[in-house]
């Protein structure tokens, strides 16, 4: 097993990202991932970003997701396929964008086959405990990608604080904790109902 030195992981991750970007399917992958945005309707990841805006934040989040996928692939490769080691701690908003990229199953399969890589992702191994200064940050820095945008790289403590606020607001409109339920009865809403501020 190769040592998990940040410089080793970072160097390999940077190579992987460059190989992804050079692949003929890369433009289609990024385009398709952005077109997946109607399915980004989550309550616990993207909304934890202050003044979240799909148009402004989608592109930068995609960059971060692709970088993390390259880091995970490097760890997986350099540890001889250790899925646990490769399931890096990442902030919730970035993790949600990773899901949007991985939803492009055909394109990701093609990239994996053509580049001889595996982009690991195991939800049962995920832990929402990303903390600033953890090994993920060390790998990111070693890849030479500069400073992480702190707008998206939210520490889990801050995410949890924001989720308390969000859940309080959700409750006011009948949405349950983390958006896992609601008490809206669509059969009782008139066909011509138009909430204040909604498009006509």
């Amino acid at each position: 097993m190769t040592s998990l030195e940040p410089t080793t992981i970072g160097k390999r991750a940077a190579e992987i990202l460059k190989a992804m970007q050079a692949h003929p399917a890369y433009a289609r992958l990024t385009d398709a991932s952005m077109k997946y945005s109607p399915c980004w309707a989550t309550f616990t990841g993207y909304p934890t970003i202050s003044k979240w805006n799909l148009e402004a934040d989608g592109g930068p989040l995609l960059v971060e997701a692709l970088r993390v996928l390259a880091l995970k692939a490097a760890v997986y490769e350099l540890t001889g396929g250790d899925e646990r080691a490769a399931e890096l701690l990442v902030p919730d908003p970035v993790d949600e964008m990773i899901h949007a990229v991985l939803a492009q199953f055909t394109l990701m399969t093609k990239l994996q086959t053509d580049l001889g890589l595996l982009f690991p992702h195991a939800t049962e191994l995920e832990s929402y405990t990303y903390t600033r200064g953890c090994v993920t940050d060390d790998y990111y820095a070693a890849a030479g990608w500069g400073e992480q945008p702190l707008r998206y790289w939210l520490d889990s403590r801050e995410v949890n604080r924001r989720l308390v606020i969000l859940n309080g607001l959700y409750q006011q409109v009948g949405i349950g904790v983390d958006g896992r339920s609601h008490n809206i009865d669509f059969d009782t809403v008139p066909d011509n109902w138009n909430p204040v501020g909604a498009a006509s």
Side-chain angles (χ1 to χ4, degrees), residues 58-69:
L61 269 172
L62 180 60
V63 169
E64 298 309 306
L66 293 168
R67 287 175 174 173
V68 170
L69 283 168

Side-chain angles (χ1 to χ4, degrees), residues 5-111:
E5 282 297 315
T7 52
T8 305
I9 298 298
K11 179 181 176 191
R12 181 61 183 133
E15 293 168 354
I16 289 170
L17 185 60
K18 283 182 185 174
M20 291 169 68
Q21 293 167 331
H23 193 279
Y26 182 77
R28 184 176 165 211
L29 173 67
T30 56
D31 185 54
S33 297
M34 293 302 290
K35 285 183 179 173
Y36 188 68
S37 60
C39 297
W40 292 0
T42 64
F43 290 83
T44 60
Y46 298 134
T48 62
I49 298 169
S50 285
K51 297 184 179 179
W52 156 249
N53 181 290
L54 172 64
E55 301 212 354
D57 293 311
L61 269 172
L62 180 60
V63 169
E64 298 309 306
L66 293 168
R67 287 175 174 173
V68 170
L69 283 168
L71 289 172
K72 288 161 59 91
V75 172
Y76 187 81
E77 177 185 278
L78 295 171
T79 58
D82 186 337
E83 245 186 313
R84 287 191 179 278
E87 198 53 56
L88 300 175
L89 296 177
V90 295
D92 293 27
V94 176
D95 184 64
E96 286 194 5
M97 182 58 87
I98 289 169
H99 293 179
V101 174
L102 293 177
Q104 312 313 315
F105 180 76
T106 304
L107 290 169
M108 289 302 289
T109 300
K110 183 157 183 51
L111 256 68

Side-chain angles (χ1 to χ4, degrees), residues 116-127:
L117 297 168
L118 187 67
F119 294 98
H121 191 73
T123 54
E124 79 274 17
L125 299 178
E126 282 185 325
S127 172

Side-chain angles (χ1 to χ4, degrees), residues 65-66 89-90 113-114 122-123 133 148 161 166 176:
L66 293 168
L89 296 177
V90 295
T113 301
D114 292 351
T123 54
Q148 293 156 300
R161 185 187 77 81
L166 285 170

Side-chain angles (χ1 to χ4, degrees), residues 40 132 163 172:
W40 292 0
R132 294 290 302 152
L163 284 174
Q172 292 175 23

